[in-house]
Amino acid sequence: GAPALLAVVACLAVGSPATALDAGDRAPGFALPALEGGGQLDLAKYRGKVVWLDFWASWCPPCLSSLPELEKLRTQMPEKDFQILAVNLDKDPRKALSFLKKNPVGYPSASDPEGRLPEKFGLKTMPTSYLIDRDGTIRLVHEGYRSGDIETIRREVRKLVEGCLLYT
């Protein structure tokens, strides 16, 4: 039932965060090594696009159910206007690579085994995602993930991609 469902919504395994970022805050810039090799993933490179920034790990069941849904969303949005960026927090990146080999996605993941970026964002739970507008402002913070969440995510992404900015 519902209580059991709520129990799997979030994987609470993130250290003591700084102040959590919220809608209206600027997204902190970062450049991290790409999980699959080949240079750095730099948030600034995607300025001008709507970005869904997703923190995930192979040990977090709700994270793993969100990845295929996010991949489907990626294919439904115009590439020139929308980008999904993932930040993997596995201490051993091989676990993340193994998961992605079985469940490939067409968007890049950065690797942050030391978990420095979650501190910058003030993550409280996993997964947590941030909808960032074309100017680098966070418009939505989505904590946890459960079946049906993708509909809300799709609606909020579409509003920004189509130019109806969400001011909260």
Side-chain angles (χ1 to χ4, degrees), residues 115-135:
R116 291 197 181 111
L117 202 53
E119 261 181 57
K120 272 183 150 180
F121 277 81
L123 252 73
K124 294 187 294 252
T125 188
M126 287 280 288
T128 296
S129 301
Y130 298 85
L131 180 59
I132 303 168
D133 71 16
R134 296 172 196 269
D135 297 321

Side-chain angles (χ1 to χ4, degrees), residues 14-157:
V14 181
S16 57
T19 305
L21 295 178
D22 210 342
D25 291 333
R26 298 288 294 170
F30 66 87
L32 288 168
L35 179 65
E36 298 181 89
Q40 299 265 305
L41 221 56
D42 185 348
L43 181 61
K45 191 176 130 194
Y46 299 97
R47 186 65 51 88
K49 289 187 178 193
V50 173
V51 174
W52 184 260
L53 178 63
D54 183 51
F55 287 87
W56 73 283
S58 66
W59 44 259
C60 170
C63 299
L64 304 184
S65 60
S66 73
L67 265 67
E69 296 289 332
L70 291 173
E71 174 60 12
K72 199 181 302 172
L73 173 66
R74 181 191 69 80
T75 66
Q76 296 166 346
M77 294 293 161
E79 203 176 310
K80 67 181 178 45
D81 293 314
F82 180 65
Q83 178 69 47
I84 296 175
L85 293 180
V87 177
N88 176 267
L89 301 176
D90 279 290
K91 291 199 184 316
D92 179 355
R94 290 174 301 192
K95 291 181 176 167
L97 289 167
S98 171
F99 175 80
L100 289 176
K101 196 174 217 171
K102 294 182 206 118
N103 305 275
V105 295
Y107 56 87
S109 262
S111 181
D112 186 11
E114 287 87 41
R116 291 197 181 111
L117 202 53
E119 261 181 57
K120 272 183 150 180
F121 277 81
L123 252 73
K124 294 187 294 252
T125 188
M126 287 280 288
T128 296
S129 301
Y130 298 85
L131 180 59
I132 303 168
D133 71 16
R134 296 172 196 269
D135 297 321
T137 302
I138 297 168
R139 292 288 163 210
L140 175 76
V141 179
H142 189 86
E143 294 182 332
Y145 190 87
R146 61 183 163 265
S147 178
D149 281 3
I150 197 67
E151 295 313 316
T152 303
I153 293 166
R154 183 179 292 109
R155 188 171 52 246
E156 298 304 325
V157 165

